[in-house]
Amino acid sequence: AKAPVTVTVTGAAGQIGYALLFRVASGQLLGSDTPVRLRLLEIPQAVKAAEGTAMELDDCAFPLLTGIDITDDPRTAFDGVNVALLVGARPRTKGMERGDLLEANGGIFKPQGEAINAGAASDVRVLVVGNPANTNALIARSHAPDVPADRFTAMTRLDHNRALSQLSAKLGVGVADIAKLTIWGNHSATQYPDIFHAEVSGKPASELVDEAWLAEEFIPTVARRGAAIIEARGASSAASAANAAIDHVYDWVNGTASDDWTSAAIVSDGSYGVPEGLISSFPVVSRNGAWEIVQGLEVNDFSRQRIEASVQELTEERDAVAALGLI
Ligand code: NDP
């Protein structure tokens, strides 16, 4: 039998945590032949709620789940971790300045980066879900100098999946008929969902829709989908965010299809003019357990301006956390 993989989930008592943990424990994150050991990290006042979730996990009697530890100490949570899902973050509350938001998240992601640096397994993979996800990942990464930079990623897979769903509905085709969509930039309202390289049953998607639909319907609908869900559901998206986290890690570990790619925010190597070191979303494939940026795509003017605007926002967030001494 395979050795258990240690999966740490932060913010484990939250909404996304509740939608995520059962799927991890059932084998959907790493495959049905891989036992999982869960570590749940929470802030002290939420540890009791995390214990309640752990009781329900026990009651599922998942054959792959070999143990659950619950802690409020990052060092304990990340000791020996193989897969770190950083979900807990400080959300922006009404009237909060951006500097305060970044500072509060620095207080969370700096110690977590340090704890990952100190104790993680040599194959550790980190996915940041908690917002502002790209910049939180940058903070954690910068406090984990001994961990290869490419192990720190942030989630844009939900944006990618939303874009797939919107395009499939518009064209009346199945999501499986669409390949090579891309989310570029920041996981924020400036993100750019790009269909110019996408294929629908092998045909260019850009021949099937017009630019007005892209600019006025598709892009804003994908970017504002989170707000639309809050409006309809009275609570933020949680199951779909958890689903995207599962997709991201599953593909990272198992690879992407040979004739397709996906989107993930990874450390830039300077490709497509994105400053080196920023954690920005790109078209990516996973090969041999590592993400690679898809190279050589032609970027038209429509796309170029939108990618640049989102990357500009990431640059400003990076400069702001640098000014606060957080990276
Ligand atoms: P959720 O579980 O709903 O969300 C958690 C984080 O995911 C938020 O930062 C949220 O950002 C983000 N997120 C990213 N993408 C999405 C998406 N598509 N839809 C919704 N959210 C998204 O929050 P809860 O408040 O229910 O739970 C958070 C938990 O984290 C609490 O239990 C809290 O105690 C815990 N926490 C733990 C910490 C730790 O372990 N050290 C530190 C801080 C908090 P956004 O708010 O922008 O939607």
Side-chain angles (χ1 to χ4, degrees), residues 11 14-16 41-43 46 87-89 91 112 129-131 158 187 237:
Q15 275 214 89
I16 295 175
L41 179 68
E42 260 299 350
I43 52 177
V87 177
Q112 292 186 3
V129 174
N131 281 316
L158 179 55
H187 169 68
S237 46

Side-chain angles (χ1 to χ4, degrees), residues 10 16 78 84-92 96 98-114 116 126-144 149 151-155 185-188 265-267 277-280 313-322 324 326-327:
T10 75
I16 295 175
F78 294 113
L85 304 173
L86 309 189
V87 177
R90 176 72 166 83
R92 189 191 289 265
M96 196 177 194
R98 187 176 70 167
D100 297 334
L101 177 77
L102 295 173
E103 185 125 44
N105 279 299
I108 295 166
F109 288 89
K110 177 172 184 272
Q112 292 186 3
E114 290 167 348
I116 289 167
V126 182
L127 171 63
V128 178
V129 174
N131 281 316
N134 301 54
T135 297
N136 289 341
L138 187 70
I139 295 170
R141 201 215 109 195
S142 81
H143 296 282
R151 307 297 180 75
F152 284 86
T153 65
M155 190 168 89
N186 199 1
H187 169 68
S188 77
I266 68 172
V267 176
L278 282 186
I279 296 187
S280 183
E313 182 183 53
L314 282 173
T315 306
E316 286 165 15
E317 288 183 15
R318 180 197 60 194
D319 292 349
V321 292
L324 291 164
L326 299 174
I327 59 171

Side-chain angles (χ1 to χ4, degrees), residues 274-296:
V274 179
E276 214 178 316
L278 282 186
I279 296 187
S280 183
S281 189
F282 288 100
V284 291
V285 292
S286 164
R287 301 274 182 263
N288 305 313
W291 292 119
E292 293 170 15
I293 297 171
V294 176
Q295 295 296 338

Side-chain angles (χ1 to χ4, degrees), residues 35-315:
V36 174
R37 172 174 196 84
L38 280 174
R39 294 258 170 74
L40 314 186
L41 179 68
E42 260 299 350
I43 52 177
Q45 52 279 33
V47 162
K48 185 147 186 260
E51 286 169 357
T53 304
M55 289 161 72
E56 284 202 75
L57 284 161
D58 286 342
D59 293 350
C60 294
F62 288 120
L64 291 171
L65 183 58
T66 65
I68 311 173
D69 303 305
I70 304 161
T71 179
D72 62 6
D73 172 25
R75 294 276 168 153
T76 308
F78 294 113
D79 186 38
V81 63
N82 304 108
V83 177
L85 304 173
L86 309 189
V87 177
R90 176 72 166 83
R92 189 191 289 265
T93 41
K94 229 178 158 195
M96 196 177 194
E97 299 289 335
R98 187 176 70 167
D100 297 334
L101 177 77
L102 295 173
E103 185 125 44
N105 279 299
I108 295 166
F109 288 89
K110 177 172 184 272
Q112 292 186 3
E114 290 167 348
I116 289 167
N117 198 54
S122 60
D123 69 346
V124 67
R125 291 180 168 91
V126 182
L127 171 63
V128 178
V129 174
N131 281 316
N134 301 54
T135 297
N136 289 341
L138 187 70
I139 295 170
R141 201 215 109 195
S142 81
H143 296 282
D146 303 330
V147 176
D150 66 357
R151 307 297 180 75
F152 284 86
T153 65
M155 190 168 89
T156 52
R157 185 60 171 265
L158 179 55
D159 308 306
H160 182 95
N161 288 343
R162 286 168 171 168
L164 274 175
S165 165
Q166 291 300 321
L167 189 61
S168 94
K170 166 77 175 172
L171 298 177
V173 301
V175 284
D177 297 325
I178 303 173
K180 302 181 179 175
L181 267 175
T182 305
I183 304 293
W184 297 90
N186 199 1
H187 169 68
S188 77
T190 67
Q191 65 172 269
Y192 171 51
D194 176 1
I195 64 120
F196 285 102
H197 304 97
E199 296 167 1
V200 180
S201 303
K203 285 199 274 307
S206 57
E207 292 176 6
L208 304 174
V209 295
D210 56 43
E211 267 192 25
W213 179 76
L214 284 183
E216 286 150 37
E217 299 278 340
F218 176 72
I219 296 170
T221 300
V222 172
R224 294 190 203 127
R225 186 73 168 173
I229 286 169
I230 293 175
E231 171 80 23
R233 202 182 158 248
S236 61
S237 46
S240 54
N243 178 70
I246 299 265
D247 284 349
H248 177 113
V249 173
Y250 188 90
D251 284 354
W252 194 355
V253 172
N254 295 294
T256 43
S258 60
D259 52 355
D260 198 0
W261 65 64
T262 188
S263 305
I266 68 172
V267 176
S268 176
D269 60 359
S271 294
Y272 299 102
V274 179
E276 214 178 316
L278 282 186
I279 296 187
S280 183
S281 189
F282 288 100
V284 291
V285 292
S286 164
R287 301 274 182 263
N288 305 313
W291 292 119
E292 293 170 15
I293 297 171
V294 176
Q295 295 296 338
L297 301 178
E298 234 176 86
V299 177
N300 64 19
D301 288 342
F302 184 95
S303 297
R304 170 65 54 204
Q305 322 170 342
R306 289 171 170 82
I307 295 170
E308 279 175 1
S310 195
V311 168
Q312 179 57 31
E313 182 183 53
L314 282 173
T315 306

